[in-house]
Amino acid sequence: MTETLFSKIIDREIPADIVYEDELCLAFRDINPQAPVHILLIPKQPIVKIADATESDQSLLGHLLLKAGEIAREQGYADAFRLVVNNGEEAGQTVFHLHIHILAGREFSWPAG
Ligand code: AMP
């Protein structure tokens, strides 16, 4: 996988407002927030997009979802938040390192745009 903006954030080559880190993942505030809380949660292991994940990524993906809930709770939004994963350019993915958007702090309409 080619280096992306997010691998540079993992390597501290570019700055980010980091809110959580462990051996498997990193979470930081989105530079262009779409809600009062807008955090990106990424695996340190470079997976281009969710469609590229395999059986061997099962526990990592579970870890990310658990952490997403914990991070939302720590931000004060245990009960109302939205997780978004854009897969592929046509679905709005612009950075090709898997990431979960954690959005909270406003009302969300459905279906998502
Ligand atoms: P996506 O469109 O799903 O690929 O999401 C990529 C997200 O990365 C967008 O919401 C951007 O605002 C965000 N983003 C781009 N560059 C940075 C950066 N340097 N720090 C934090 N977030 C960023």
Side-chain angles (χ1 to χ4, degrees):
M1 186 177 131
T2 52
E3 199 177 50
T4 66
L5 205 54
F6 291 173
S7 51
K8 288 182 180 161
I9 288 176
I10 292 169
D11 294 339
R12 306 302 203 265
E13 286 171 21
I14 60 173
D17 185 356
I18 292 170
V19 299
Y20 177 80
E21 180 170 25
D22 64 26
E23 68 284 7
L24 296 175
C25 64
L26 184 72
F28 51 91
R29 293 190 193 281
D30 196 294
I31 206 166
N32 182 24
Q34 302 301 311
V37 171
H38 187 173
I39 290 166
L40 301 173
L41 176 59
I42 67 174
K44 288 186 174 174
Q45 178 186 321
I47 298 171
V48 172
K49 57 189 192 298
I50 190 68
D52 294 340
T54 66
E55 288 287 322
S56 66
D57 299 316
Q58 185 167 316
S59 72
L60 173 62
L61 297 177
H63 182 76
L64 290 173
L65 280 179
L66 285 172
K67 290 300 162 189
E70 281 179 28
I71 291 165
R73 183 164 61 243
E74 278 161 16
Q75 296 292 320
Y77 295 96
D79 295 324
F81 59 90
R82 180 169 285 181
L83 304 181
V84 174
V85 178
N86 295 323
N87 185 93
E89 214 170 316
E90 285 179 33
Q93 187 175 4
T94 58
V95 180
F96 290 87
H97 181 130
L98 173 64
H99 49 283
I100 299 175
H101 295 259
I102 304 168
L103 299 145
R106 66 167 169 86
E107 284 188 14
F108 295 102
S109 58
W110 189 259

